[in-house]
Amino acid sequence: MEVDYSSAVEQRVPECEKMAKEGRLQEAIESLLSLEKQTRTASDMVSTSRILVAIVQMCYEAKDWDTLNENIMLLSKRRSQLKQAVAKMVQECYNYVDTVTDLPTKLRLIDTLRTVTAGKIYVEIERARLTKTLANIKEQSGEVKEAAAILQELQVETYGSMEKKEKVEFILEQMRLCIAVKDYIRTQIISKKINTKFFQEEGSEDLKLKYYNLMIQVDLHEGSYLSICKHYRAIYDTPCILEDSAKWQQVRMNPVETVFKFGQLLTGMSLPFALQALKSVVLYVILAPYDNEQSDLVHRINTDKKLEDIPKYKDLLKQFTTMELMRWAALVEDYGKELREGSPDSPATDVFAYTEEGEKRWKDLKNRVVEHNIRIMAKYYTRITMKRMAGLLDLSIDESEEFLSSLVVSKTIYAKVDRMAGVINFQRPKDPNDILNDWSHKLNSLMSLVNKTTHLIAKEEMIHNLQ
């Protein structure tokens, strides 16, 4: 049976608040608890909510944290407690967390609220926010692994009541902490929870930049150059990056503490903007192993008009789209200084920096040049000697054979090596059906020509006879 206790609550709450201020907190709470039982059994949600909020408010104002924690647990576990009333109480207590300065007290309050909200869908958002606060506290105290483990408990993608933007923020925070503890596999799994179409919505540019920057960190570890190129291209295509000329500069940032706001990096790793991002796009697409997707992406990037502003990079990209051999020594002489050290007008990226990773990528660039040259040879030659190929590649015969074998295994080219004779055959053997079809076509063409020739001879004979 529903009864309205609002008038009784209106009268009792101010009296109890006055008692609490006079130092009789326990007496005031007892008085409200007796009224709470009546409102709860009468299913008066508004009055019950008002009483629960009033009790926690009195405890907070009295700074009696132990009593506050006890009453939060007590009120949430009462028989047939109204969900809306518990939600109101938890929302009120959540506001107190940020105001608590004493760390042990704050942790106890967070722990109490997390215990109360565990498994309750109607307070899932508050639980998620409390968990994020707890993870931040753990991270600040140096317990990064524990912070990552705490935040991974949340499956925010299943929360129906949470806004999409807040969900993405939580998932990005999970990714950031996973990278901090070098758990790259889990980071990749978590990243798939975000649909990149979300970044097309207005006001999501800061989250888009943060997401792609974190993905660059993951793929740098994996050595997936084509994916890195796509991520930089997504950053480059962001409207705030293209429009704001002030961002055409290099900004230093920390790979773990990456914070973006409206396209501006506030702290984080060395991430270039606009032209610098375009340079990274060019370099990583060149570093990616050749396949149909990479080839298509190279030609699409080559059409970008902004490449005119970075002529060296444009020329380098053109080298890989031109069907001509490249000399590694000449390439290093022409582009080495620009790529690794830069110039006053065009600072270098960190792709080929003088670090262990930079040296590895520089070696990979040499490998891409060699692979490009072998593909060109396969296009223009049907047969070539090992010695001649090694001379064109500026490599030893063994190294040339190793590169050739890797391209054959990946099915980039077809080749057969006669090691005894030292000859490579690039001509693909024809299928018997193709040979027969080709023979048949040529025979038809020949018979057509014979028939036409016979007709022309007969025509000439007739004209000659008439004359």
Side-chain angles (χ1 to χ4, degrees), residues 205 208-209 212 233-243 263:
E205 290 181 357
K208 176 183 178 180
L209 292 174
Y212 282 112
R233 198 153 184 255
I235 290 170
Y236 170 72
D237 289 336
T238 306
C240 69
I241 298 295
L242 289 172
E243 291 166 10

Side-chain angles (χ1 to χ4, degrees), residues 71-264:
N71 281 288
I72 291 169
M73 295 292 287
L74 174 70
L75 293 167
S76 64
K77 288 183 178 178
R78 287 206 149 185
R79 184 171 172 271
S80 304
Q81 186 59 278
L82 303 173
K83 293 179 181 179
Q84 297 93 328
V86 173
K88 294 269 186 190
M89 179 185 70
V90 170
Q91 286 163 8
E92 181 69 23
C93 294
Y94 173 72
N95 297 329
Y96 302 154
V97 172
D98 292 331
T99 62
V100 180
T101 52
D102 182 47
L103 188 59
T105 304
K106 182 186 271 194
L107 289 172
R108 278 202 307 276
L109 179 57
I110 290 172
D111 185 53
T112 302
L113 289 170
R114 272 168 48 82
T115 304
V116 166
T117 54
K120 295 182 173 70
I121 293 174
Y122 52 92
V123 282
E124 62 188 4
I125 294 179
E126 285 74 20
R127 179 176 173 76
R129 290 170 183 166
L130 285 164
T131 305
K132 189 178 180 183
T133 305
L134 181 60
N136 289 338
I137 292 169
K138 294 288 184 186
E139 187 184 7
Q140 286 164 13
S141 61
E143 300 173 36
V144 182
K145 279 191 177 179
E146 197 172 335
I150 288 167
L151 205 59
Q152 280 166 34
E153 293 173 7
L154 299 175
Q155 307 296 328
V156 290
E157 67 277 7
T158 63
Y159 293 1
S161 53
M162 187 180 279
E163 286 185 13
K164 198 183 291 184
K165 187 174 182 179
E166 193 175 358
K167 284 183 188 179
V168 173
E169 285 172 354
F170 269 97
I171 294 169
L172 290 176
E173 192 67 11
Q174 288 176 338
M175 288 172 65
R176 184 183 68 80
L177 286 172
C178 284
I179 290 173
V181 297
K182 302 194 181 326
D183 190 348
Y184 294 101
I185 294 172
R186 193 179 293 276
T187 308
Q188 279 196 329
I189 294 166
I190 293 170
S191 70
K192 296 187 191 307
K193 295 177 181 179
I194 297 177
N195 188 341
T196 51
K197 287 181 181 178
F198 164 75
F199 299 126
Q200 296 170 7
E201 295 179 12
E202 194 176 344
S204 64
E205 290 181 357
D206 53 336
L207 295 175
K208 176 183 178 180
L209 292 174
K210 185 174 181 180
Y211 169 78
Y212 282 112
N213 194 41
L214 291 170
M215 289 308 297
I216 287 167
Q217 298 301 313
V218 174
D219 287 318
L220 275 172
H221 177 265
E222 299 295 326
S224 179
Y225 295 133
L226 192 63
S227 296
I228 297 169
C229 168
K230 290 176 183 175
H231 300 327
Y232 270 117
R233 198 153 184 255
I235 290 170
Y236 170 72
D237 289 336
T238 306
C240 69
I241 298 295
L242 289 172
E243 291 166 10
D244 193 343
S245 59
K247 296 185 184 70
W248 289 24
Q249 57 183 329
Q250 194 173 16
V251 182
R252 301 306 298 175
M253 79 183 175
N254 180 317
V256 175
E257 296 181 8
T258 313
V259 183
F260 293 84
K261 187 168 182 183
F262 305 112
Q264 295 176 351

Side-chain angles (χ1 to χ4, degrees), residues 377 381-386 388-389 392 422-424 426:
M377 288 179 206
Y381 286 87
T382 53
R383 296 169 80 245
I384 189 172
T385 63
M386 289 290 291
R388 174 63 175 154
M389 188 177 84
L392 289 171
V423 175
I424 303 161
F426 290 116

Side-chain angles (χ1 to χ4, degrees), residues 32 110 246 379 400 405 435:
L32 283 176
I110 290 172
K379 187 176 178 68
S400 301
S405 301
I435 294 171

Side-chain angles (χ1 to χ4, degrees), residues 355-407:
T355 59
E356 189 181 341
E357 291 83 4
E359 293 296 338
K360 181 182 176 296
R361 288 192 281 268
W362 187 251
K363 188 180 176 184
D364 286 340
L365 178 63
K366 184 181 179 181
N367 294 347
R368 295 294 97 83
V369 170
V370 172
E371 289 168 7
H372 169 82
N373 289 342
I374 293 174
R375 288 200 314 276
I376 301 306
M377 288 179 206
K379 187 176 178 68
Y380 289 118
Y381 286 87
T382 53
R383 296 169 80 245
I384 189 172
T385 63
M386 289 290 291
K387 190 175 179 182
R388 174 63 175 154
M389 188 177 84
L392 289 171
L393 295 175
D394 295 327
L395 297 172
S396 67
I397 291 176
D398 289 341
E399 287 175 323
S400 301
E401 189 176 345
E402 189 180 337
F403 275 108
L404 179 68
S405 301
S406 66
L407 287 176

Side-chain angles (χ1 to χ4, degrees), residues 279-459:
K279 288 178 186 178
S280 296
V281 170
V282 170
L283 295 179
Y284 280 113
V285 77
I286 288 170
L287 285 170
Y290 179 86
D291 58 22
N292 291 337
E293 188 180 9
Q294 187 267 357
S295 178
D296 176 61
L297 195 54
V298 165
H299 286 88
R300 276 191 282 138
I301 292 166
N302 200 32
T303 59
D304 196 311
K305 292 179 181 178
K306 287 270 190 333
L307 283 172
E308 300 289 343
D309 298 328
I310 44 174
K312 282 278 186 185
Y313 290 83
K314 184 180 181 182
D315 292 344
L316 179 63
L317 191 63
K318 191 177 179 183
Q319 294 266 5
F320 282 88
T321 55
T322 307
M323 294 290 108
E324 293 177 7
L325 294 176
M326 286 189 281
R327 291 278 181 185
W328 173 247
L331 188 138
V332 171
E333 188 180 334
D334 292 343
Y335 304 103
K337 192 171 186 302
E338 177 74 19
L339 296 180
R340 306 202 78 175
E341 298 171 18
S343 61
D345 299 332
S346 177
T349 63
D350 57 358
V351 179
F352 298 121
Y354 292 102
T355 59
E356 189 181 341
E357 291 83 4
E359 293 296 338
K360 181 182 176 296
R361 288 192 281 268
W362 187 251
K363 188 180 176 184
D364 286 340
L365 178 63
K366 184 181 179 181
N367 294 347
R368 295 294 97 83
V369 170
V370 172
E371 289 168 7
H372 169 82
N373 289 342
I374 293 174
R375 288 200 314 276
I376 301 306
M377 288 179 206
K379 187 176 178 68
Y380 289 118
Y381 286 87
T382 53
R383 296 169 80 245
I384 189 172
T385 63
M386 289 290 291
K387 190 175 179 182
R388 174 63 175 154
M389 188 177 84
L392 289 171
L393 295 175
D394 295 327
L395 297 172
S396 67
I397 291 176
D398 289 341
E399 287 175 323
S400 301
E401 189 176 345
E402 189 180 337
F403 275 108
L404 179 68
S405 301
S406 66
L407 287 176
V408 171
V409 168
S410 64
K411 292 185 166 48
T412 304
I413 62 168
Y414 173 86
K416 260 194 171 182
V417 182
D418 185 344
R419 299 188 77 176
M420 297 295 290
V423 175
I424 303 161
N425 186 358
F426 290 116
Q427 198 165 18
R428 191 183 292 272
K430 288 186 178 179
D431 184 81
N433 289 328
D434 292 337
I435 294 171
L436 194 61
N437 288 337
D438 192 34
W439 176 80
S440 174
H441 174 71
K442 286 178 179 177
L443 192 63
N444 283 336
S445 299
L446 177 64
M447 296 311 294
S448 296
L449 286 170
V450 169
N451 192 31
K452 189 175 181 182
T453 306
T454 306
H455 175 70
L456 288 170
I457 291 169
K459 186 179 176 182

